Amino acid sequence: MTDREENIQNMFASTTQFDTVNSADYSSLPEAAAQFTIVRAVVAALETESAAQISGARGRAVEQKSVLSEAMRRKMKRFSHTARALNIDDPGFRRLFRIPDDNSYQLLVSTAREFVEEARRFAADFARLGIPATLADELEADIDAMEAAITAKAGANTEAVGATAGIDEQIERGLKAE
C-alpha cells in the first residue's frame, strides 16, 4: 500500500470514528447512515486487501526455493562427482551429470529430473561407488517440493496483484461515498 493509499485509509477510519461519535446528530437522515455504512465496509475491505498484499506467502516461497535449490545442488554434486569416477571406464559418462551454472530454478529442475532418470538407469554403477538408490528418490522429492514452491510464489504474486487492484477499487468506492 502506498503512502497515499494509507493516508486515504486513515481518512476513512477517521470518518467512521466521526460517525460513531456523532451519528445521533443526523439519525433522521437515512442517506447519511447509508454512506457511513459504505465507508465502514470500505475500511474493512481495505484491511483485508492490505493484508493480502503484504502476505508473507511470497517471501516464504522465495526462501523455500533458495533452500531447496541448495539441497538439490548438493545431491546433484554427489552424482556429478561420482560420475567423474565412472567416466574413467566409460568416457562421456560424466556429461550425463553436468550441473548448470545458471541460477534458473526451471533449468535446475529440468536438469535434476534428468539426473534422477539417469541415476536410476545406472543405479548399480552408482551403488558400487557408495551412492544409494534412495538419493535419486530424495532428489525427486526435492524437485517436487521446488515445483510446489514455484507454483506457490506465482500464486502469491497473483494474489498480491489482485489485492492491489482491490485496494484501488475500494478507495474509489469510499471516495464516492458522500
Side-chain angles (χ1 to χ4, degrees), residues 11-79:
M11 177 187 69
F12 291 155
S14 295
T15 301
T16 60
Q17 288 173 346
F18 175 85
D19 178 45
T20 301
V21 172
N22 299 298
S23 60
D25 294 344
Y26 46 84
S27 60
S28 63
L29 302 170
E31 184 59 31
Q35 296 304 316
F36 280 114
T37 300
I38 290 171
V39 173
R40 284 185 191 285
V42 165
V43 168
L46 283 173
E47 288 172 359
T48 301
E49 297 291 1
S50 178
Q53 190 181 44
I54 61 172
S55 164
R58 278 189 292 185
R60 277 192 306 277
V62 168
E63 190 167 339
Q64 284 175 337
K65 288 187 337 183
S66 177
V67 168
L68 287 166
S69 73
E70 287 303 313
M72 289 169 62
R73 284 185 183 279
R74 277 193 306 276
K75 290 173 179 88
M76 292 168 73
K77 282 179 184 176
R78 288 188 63 193
F79 283 117

Side-chain angles (χ1 to χ4, degrees), residues 30-130:
E31 184 59 31
Q35 296 304 316
F36 280 114
T37 300
I38 290 171
V39 173
R40 284 185 191 285
V42 165
V43 168
L46 283 173
E47 288 172 359
T48 301
E49 297 291 1
S50 178
Q53 190 181 44
I54 61 172
S55 164
R58 278 189 292 185
R60 277 192 306 277
V62 168
E63 190 167 339
Q64 284 175 337
K65 288 187 337 183
S66 177
V67 168
L68 287 166
S69 73
E70 287 303 313
M72 289 169 62
R73 284 185 183 279
R74 277 193 306 276
K75 290 173 179 88
M76 292 168 73
K77 282 179 184 176
R78 288 188 63 193
F79 283 117
S80 182
H81 291 154
T82 305
R84 281 191 225 154
L86 292 169
N87 192 64
I88 293 170
D89 295 332
D90 187 359
F93 188 81
R94 70 186 174 120
R95 290 185 185 170
L96 298 173
F97 296 93
R98 281 206 174 143
I99 301 170
D101 292 329
D102 191 335
N103 286 329
S104 162
Y105 292 122
Q106 292 295 344
L107 178 61
L108 184 64
V109 166
S110 64
T111 303
R113 286 230 181 266
E114 292 174 20
F115 269 50
V116 168
E117 184 179 318
E118 295 299 332
R120 287 184 175 146
R121 191 164 63 125
F122 296 103
D125 295 322
F126 281 110
R128 205 170 23 113
L129 294 177

